[in-house]
Amino acid sequence: GAPGAGKGTQGPKIVDMLGIPQLSTGDMLREAVAKGTDVGKKAKQVMSDGGLVSDEIVIAIIRDRIQEADCKSGFIFDGFPRTLSQAKALDQMLADNGEVVSQVMALDVDPGVLEERVCGRWIDKASGRSYHVKYAPPKSMKLGTDGKPLPESMKDDVSGDALFQRPDDTPEALKKRLDGYKSQTMPILDHYSPRGIVKRVDGGAPITAVWDEVRVKLCNSKTKRD
């Protein structure tokens, strides 16, 4: 799904339902570096030199991680693969381990809805608490004459500290992110569609309705595999 499609909301629910871990490449990378594994050392060197960690290193980190006991019954990915080349490399690595991608859940959301969701987010830096001008505004929020929130009125409900918006949560930045998603990530769906494993969900529906559809499609897929 595109930025703001609801992956962060639905992911934890899938984890709870299926009892399998959600694997974030960022978390796995930091963990490998902290543990000082062979591939973690390679990644640390690249990052120390100011470079970008290669797909080869990321795939190696994933290969190590899925050998752990909690992945025995399966796992879901968060933020990977993002490109067609990463998807193909993932397929090859899984095939080498006698495994395969079994399902791809695609959350479809209208771009206008994505902008409303993403550009309305405000965050408390210290705690990470997240607010939204429409869905979960801070108690202190006041609107200007243009109907938009006054930045100086956006304060955390608990601490009273000023909230901030991430640089990539602006309309201009979102457009670039969506363009990148369309050109780099959407081809992944075309890659997996012939296998019949891509399940599309109306991510623009209310959260509970989205989860109901996700749950049904997960159950149907599991039944077919069983």
Side-chain angles (χ1 to χ4, degrees):
K7 300 182 295 296
T9 299
Q10 302 302 326
K13 295 177 181 290
I14 297 174
V15 167
D16 290 341
M17 174 181 167
L18 300 182
I20 58 177
Q22 178 173 327
L23 305 183
S24 161
T25 50
D27 290 344
M28 288 186 284
L29 184 58
R30 287 186 285 272
E31 185 178 340
V33 170
K35 287 183 176 179
T37 63
D38 289 342
V39 69
K41 291 176 182 176
K42 291 181 182 178
K44 184 178 182 179
Q45 183 61 52
V46 171
M47 291 187 290
S48 297
D49 293 340
L52 293 174
V53 178
S54 68
D55 289 350
E56 182 181 3
I57 289 178
V58 173
I59 289 292
I61 287 174
I62 293 173
R63 182 173 57 239
D64 288 349
R65 175 66 180 85
I66 64 176
Q67 302 302 319
E68 296 182 22
D70 63 340
C71 291
K72 185 177 181 181
S73 297
F75 43 87
I76 64 174
F77 284 115
D78 173 16
F80 191 88
R82 291 183 183 272
T83 66
L84 183 57
S85 62
Q86 289 178 347
K88 291 179 177 178
L90 175 65
D91 288 344
Q92 185 59 58
M93 183 273 288
L94 291 175
D96 292 342
N97 285 273
E99 299 180 358
V100 67
V101 173
S102 61
Q103 185 162 340
V104 178
M105 192 72 71
L107 299 174
D108 296 328
V109 185
D110 181 86
V113 175
L114 291 175
E115 181 171 339
E116 180 183 76
R117 287 182 181 178
V118 172
C119 299
R121 292 192 296 213
W122 288 74
I123 300 170
D124 176 53
K125 190 171 185 178
S127 68
R129 277 185 290 273
S130 180
Y131 297 86
H132 192 282
V133 296
K134 181 177 180 180
Y135 305 111
K139 297 174 182 176
S140 61
M141 186 178 81
K142 290 182 173 60
L143 302 179
T145 55
D146 60 357
K148 295 181 180 180
L150 298 171
E152 63 271 19
S153 74
M154 302 298 281
K155 300 180 185 296
D156 180 55
D157 286 349
V158 178
S159 68
D161 291 340
L163 303 176
F164 79 101
Q165 280 192 297
R166 298 188 311 186
D168 55 356
D169 282 352
T170 64
E172 298 76 21
L174 177 61
K175 183 181 184 305
K176 291 181 180 178
R177 294 168 70 193
L178 289 177
D179 287 345
Y181 174 75
K182 290 175 184 175
S183 63
Q184 295 185 317
T185 306
M186 286 190 70
I188 295 173
L189 301 181
D190 295 331
H191 172 66
Y192 287 117
S193 287
R195 289 168 47 187
I197 61 173
V198 175
K199 308 298 180 183
R200 291 190 172 276
V201 172
D202 178 9
I207 291 177
T208 52
V210 175
W211 170 240
D212 286 342
E213 188 175 356
V214 167
R215 183 166 46 81
V216 167
K217 290 186 174 178
L218 281 173
C219 289
N220 288 345
S221 177
K222 188 174 185 299
T223 300
K224 289 177 182 178
R225 289 200 306 274
D226 292 345

